[in-house]
Amino acid sequence: MDKKLERILPLVQKPARYTGGEYGEIQKDKSEVDLRMALCFPDTYEIGMSNTGMRILYQVLNDLPGVWCERVFAPWFDMDRQMREKGLPLYALESGDPLSEFDAIGFSLGYEMAYTTVLEMLDLAGIPLRSAERTSLTPLVFAGGSVCCNSEPMADFFDLMIIGEGESVDGEVLQLLREAKAAGWSKAEFLRRAALIGGVYVPSLYTPEYNGDGTLKAMHAAPGAPERITKRIVTDFENSCFPVDAIVPSTEIVHDRVGLELFRGCIRGCRFCQAGHIYRPVRSRSVEKCMEYGKESLAFSGYHEITLLSLSTSDYRGLNELCDGLMDYCESRGIGLSLPSLRADNFSMDIMQRVQKVRKSGLTFAPEAGTQRLRDVINKNITEDAVINTAKTAFSGGNTSVKLYFMLGLPTETFDDVAGIGNLAQKVVDTFYSLPERPKGKGVTVSVSCSAFVPKPFTPFQWEPQDDIETIRAKQKHLVESARSRKIRLSWSDPETSFLEAVLARGDRRVCAVIYEAFKLGCKFDSWGEYFHFDVWMKAFENCGVDPKFYANRRREYTEVLPWSHIDIGIPEGYFMNESIKAKTGATTQNCREKCNGCGANRLLGRACD
C-alpha cells in the first residue's frame, strides 16, 4: 500500500472503500498483460459496487486475453480533500496504480447527475478533462451506459462513447486500441477506425449546426464516419456473462446481496420510461440457467439474500417455477428471496407466499398516476381495481405497509389528477380496514413517493415540456391537501434536481461548457441532495450564456432535429411519434406479448423477441 494512503486512511470515513483486496477481486501480473483498463464509476464505492453492469463488465473485460481491468470509484469529500493535500492521484483498487498509467479509462454512466463527478475524477487523476486536450493515444477516455443515448452534453470530454450494451462492444474497442499501440497510430487515426465499430460514437467526428432560434439544424459527420450510430446489444442473452464469482465487498454496500438478472427489455411500453425502450428487444434467460447462476452466486458469496432483477420482474414467464426452484435451495439455508419491480396487475398471493417464506420484505408498486385518464395517457395499463386488489392480497398475506410510486408533472396532468393520488392512497388505507382477515392490533402505513416527471430521449414524451419548478411545487402542495389521513406518508423529489436532470437529459453540445463551468465552481456528487447546489448551477448557466429552460421547459415540434437524432436505438422516430399522438387522445397500446406493436427493435436481434 502507498505510504501516503496509509497515512490518509485513519483520517477518513469508511476507509474500506479505498483499500481493495476484497474476496473475489481479480489480480493479474502486470508483466503478463499488454493493455490495462480502468473501469470507473462516478459515485461512491457503496453505490458502484451495487451496480450490476459494473460487475458484468469487470468479469467480461478481465476474461479478455492480455487485459487487466481494475475498478475506480469517486472518493468522498473527506478522502478527495486528503488526496489533494497529500498529492495522491486517483488510483485503481486492485493495483493501487494511478489512473494516468492506464491505457483505457471507461466510465459507467447511468444518471445525468453524475456528470460533474466524472470531471472531478479525471481532475483528481491529473488527466486533462477535454478530449481535445488529450493528444496522445493513451489514456483513451470513454463512456458507456444508458445516458449515452444522448451523448451531446458530455461530448467534449470523452474520446468515444458506447451506444448500447457495453459487454457486446468494449472488447472490440480494446482490441483495436491494442493494435493501435503496437502499430504506433496517432489518436486521430485510432478514432477514425474506432468510429467504424458498430455502437461506437466518436463525438469529435461530428459537428452540430444550429438554426437562428437556437434549435439544432443538423449534425454533420466527418468524411468516412457513419451518418447514424446504431446501438449494440447482446443477442445471446441466455449464455451471456453473469459473474457468479463476483467480488464480495469488505464493507456494507447499498444492495448487499446477489442480484440475478432474469431478462432485459420490457414488454410494457410506458410512455415516460426511457429504460423500457432503449433496452429493447426483450431477451430472457431460461429458468434452468437462472437457477444455476443464482445458486452458484449464493454459494460463492455467502450472501443471505437474492434479488431477481429486471425492469418488470413479474413479467418473467417462468417466475413461479424459478421462485419454487430457488426457494428449495434458499429456505433451508435461511436465504431470503426478494422481487422488486412488481406490477399491480399481475401480483398474486401465490407470488407473495413464495418470496416471503424466509422473511417478509416491503412491497412496492408503481401506479404512476392518480387517475385512470392519466394512466391511459402514459400507457401504464393498470386500473384502480388492480391496485386495490393488489393491496388486498398484500394485506391478507399479513403485510401492514405498502409503498406506491407516482409522478407529478406528467403530460396533460391537471390538479384533479394530483388529487387522485391522495384519493387512491386513501382507498388503499380503507381497503386494509375493510378486511376481516387483516392483522389484528396493527395499523396500516401507505407510503406515497412522488418524483417529478423528466422527459427523456427515446420516449414518446421526448417532445414534451417539463412543468416549471413553481408548478411542481404547487402540485406538491395540492397533494398534501388531498391526502389528509395520517396513515398516508408522503415524500417527493426535489423539483430543482429534476429540472437540471431534464436539462442534462435533453441538452445539446452547448451544455458541455455549462457542466465544465459548474465543476469549476465546485459542483460534484450532484445526485446527493445535501451536496446539490442549484444556485451554483444557475450561475454556471448564466456565465455561459445558456438558458436551461430552453432544454427543460420547451415543447419541441415533431419536425425538430433532436440532439440524439443521429443515434439509432432500433426504434424509429415514427413509432415514438405515433405513441405521442395516441397519448394526447388517451389511447393505450397493448403490451408486446398481447400484440406485437411493430416497434422494430427485434431487427437488432434478428429474430422475434422473447
Side-chain angles (χ1 to χ4, degrees):
M1 182 182 293
D2 187 285
K3 294 295 183 183
K4 293 179 181 177
L5 181 59
E6 283 187 9
R7 291 192 292 270
I8 287 173
L9 290 178
L11 305 176
V12 302
Q13 301 174 39
K14 302 182 181 180
R17 291 168 164 171
Y18 310 112
T19 58
E22 308 100 318
Y23 180 64
E25 174 188 88
I26 295 175
Q27 287 286 345
K28 295 188 179 183
D29 186 335
K30 284 190 279 190
S31 66
E32 296 179 358
V33 299
D34 57 4
L35 196 142
R36 297 185 66 190
M37 163 86 183
L39 183 59
C40 302
F41 194 88
D43 212 314
T44 63
Y45 176 93
E46 294 95 315
I47 294 177
M49 283 301 296
S50 300
N51 184 273
T52 302
M54 281 284 289
R55 291 172 178 258
I56 292 172
L57 288 174
Y58 183 77
Q59 184 69 59
V60 167
L61 296 173
N62 274 308
D63 284 345
L64 297 174
V67 173
W68 187 14
C69 176
E70 304 181 48
R71 296 161 297 140
V72 185
F73 302 98
W76 194 241
F77 290 85
D78 55 353
M79 183 65 172
D80 189 299
R81 183 171 57 255
Q82 290 291 336
M83 291 174 70
R84 290 183 184 278
E85 289 178 359
K86 304 299 191 298
L88 180 66
L90 188 61
Y91 59 90
L93 290 182
E94 279 73 7
S95 66
D97 292 340
L99 210 55
S100 56
E101 295 183 6
F102 285 72
D103 300 300
I105 299 170
F107 282 87
S108 177
L109 290 178
Y111 186 35
E112 295 87 354
M113 301 301 288
Y115 288 164
T116 55
T117 308
V118 171
L119 304 191
E120 175 69 17
M121 293 176 72
L122 290 174
D123 187 66
L124 187 58
I127 296 171
L129 305 188
R130 291 190 173 92
S131 173
E133 297 169 347
R134 301 187 297 267
T135 55
S136 61
L137 175 64
T138 59
L140 177 76
V141 180
F142 68 104
S146 59
V147 299
C148 290
C149 65
N150 178 21
S151 302
E152 296 310 290
M154 290 292 281
D156 287 356
F157 309 111
F158 292 118
D159 300 320
L160 60 87
M161 302 177 92
I162 305 300
I163 310 300
E165 295 167 354
E167 67 258 55
S168 67
V169 62
D170 285 357
E172 294 177 33
V173 171
L174 295 186
Q175 177 57 33
L176 186 67
L177 183 59
R178 176 187 277 120
E179 294 175 18
K181 285 179 61 183
W185 296 351
S186 66
K187 178 180 178 180
E189 175 64 17
F190 168 79
L191 291 178
R192 281 194 295 270
R193 299 194 186 203
L196 302 180
I197 298 174
V200 171
Y201 175 48
V202 180
S204 60
L205 299 181
Y206 297 80
T207 304
E209 179 185 359
Y210 300 98
N211 295 306
D213 62 359
T215 57
L216 187 63
K217 182 176 182 180
M219 183 68 77
H220 299 288
E227 292 292 330
R228 286 172 61 79
I229 301 89
T230 302
K231 80 171 182 183
R232 291 281 292 275
I233 65 166
V234 173
T235 54
D236 183 10
F237 187 65
E238 169 76 356
N239 297 302
S240 64
C241 173
F242 182 82
V244 295
D245 51 356
I247 294 170
V248 181
S250 301
T251 186
E252 187 177 1
I253 61 175
V254 174
H255 299 302
D256 222 1
R257 60 185 77 102
V258 169
L260 178 62
E261 189 181 18
L262 307 184
F263 68 96
R264 288 189 190 166
C266 185
I267 67 172
R268 296 292 171 173
C270 298
R271 291 170 180 145
F272 57 83
C273 182
Q274 184 184 67
H277 290 95
I278 65 173
Y279 286 114
R280 289 187 181 190
V282 173
R283 292 146 290 153
S284 303
R285 281 198 178 101
S286 67
V287 170
E288 294 74 21
K289 184 74 75 172
C290 288
M291 281 197 286
E292 173 190 335
Y293 286 160
K295 292 174 185 178
E296 288 184 15
S297 298
L298 288 166
F300 178 85
S301 66
Y303 277 128
H304 280 77
E305 185 175 356
I306 181 171
T307 299
L308 306 185
L309 300 177
S310 70
L311 291 175
S312 182
T313 301
S314 49
D315 285 327
Y316 181 64
R317 291 183 190 272
L319 183 61
N320 288 347
E321 183 185 353
L322 176 59
C323 288
D324 286 342
L326 287 175
M327 285 312 304
D328 287 344
Y329 178 89
C330 294
E331 192 172 2
S332 62
R333 295 169 174 82
I335 297 171
L337 175 65
S338 60
L339 277 69
S341 306
L342 295 171
R343 281 183 60 90
D345 57 350
N346 58 9
F347 179 75
S348 67
M349 179 70 76
D350 195 32
I351 292 175
M352 186 175 67
Q353 289 176 340
R354 280 175 163 88
V355 302
Q356 296 192 344
K357 281 185 177 181
V358 175
R359 66 178 67 95
K360 281 188 177 0
S361 58
L363 294 174
T364 301
F365 303 95
E368 308 293 1
T371 63
Q372 193 61 49
R373 184 201 70 81
L374 191 53
R375 285 193 292 273
D376 290 345
V377 167
I378 65 176
N379 204 49
K380 186 62 182 178
N381 281 332
I382 61 171
T383 64
E384 183 176 290
D385 285 346
V387 175
I388 299 303
N389 288 333
T390 293
K392 285 181 181 178
T393 299
F395 298 146
S396 298
N399 288 274
T400 59
S401 66
V402 295
K403 189 169 187 177
L404 303 176
Y405 278 117
F406 296 90
M407 281 186 283
L408 290 175
L410 287 162
T412 79
E413 182 183 66
T414 67
F415 278 77
D416 286 342
D417 294 312
V418 175
I421 295 173
N423 294 338
L424 181 55
Q426 184 60 54
K427 290 178 181 178
V428 172
V429 171
D430 295 341
T431 297
F432 177 84
Y433 289 105
S434 71
L435 296 175
E437 68 272 25
R438 71 180 184 272
K440 300 304 179 183
K442 295 183 178 180
V444 66
T445 300
V446 177
S447 298
V448 173
S449 177
C450 293
S451 60
F453 164 70
V454 177
K456 293 284 183 111
F458 297 110
T459 69
F461 290 157
Q462 65 183 357
W463 294 279
E464 296 295 323
Q466 184 184 53
D467 275 354
D468 59 39
I469 291 172
E470 294 74 19
T471 301
I472 291 294
R473 289 211 180 278
K475 289 181 176 179
Q476 290 173 344
K477 182 175 181 291
H478 191 61
L479 175 59
V480 172
E481 295 168 349
S482 304
R484 298 185 178 278
S485 171
R486 281 185 282 181
K487 305 296 183 182
I488 301 172
R489 296 180 180 174
L490 299 175
S491 63
W492 48 73
S493 61
D494 171 33
E496 284 83 5
T497 302
S498 299
F499 171 74
L500 182 60
E501 184 183 342
V503 175
L504 299 180
R506 301 204 292 180
D508 53 39
R509 203 168 293 195
R510 292 169 294 193
V511 175
C512 292
V514 180
I515 295 170
Y516 181 71
E517 180 70 9
F519 162 72
K520 288 199 302 179
L521 292 173
C523 292
K524 60 183 177 182
F525 284 108
D526 294 300
S527 60
W528 294 75
E530 64 269 40
Y531 297 106
F532 174 60
H533 303 293
F534 184 66
D535 56 337
V536 177
W537 271 98
M538 292 304 101
K539 180 65 175 174
F541 279 104
E542 181 183 345
N543 291 351
C544 296
V546 174
D547 178 11
K549 293 182 179 180
F550 178 81
Y551 300 104
N553 306 132
R554 179 177 62 86
R555 182 181 300 279
R556 287 150 174 73
E557 299 297 328
Y558 290 137
T559 55
E560 182 175 330
V561 177
L562 303 171
W564 51 92
S565 289
H566 57 301
I567 303 296
D568 177 10
I569 65 152
I571 302 176
E573 190 173 81
Y575 178 85
F576 292 123
M577 195 179 302
N578 184 54
E579 284 294 299
S580 171
I581 293 169
K582 289 176 70 175
K584 290 177 169 59
T585 64
T588 60
T589 298
Q590 293 171 283
N591 75 62
C592 299
R593 289 192 183 139
E594 292 176 337
K595 175 189 174 185
C596 176
N597 297 294
C599 77
N602 61 358
R603 67 180 169 85
L604 301 175
L605 195 57
R607 57 178 173 81
C609 302
D610 291 347

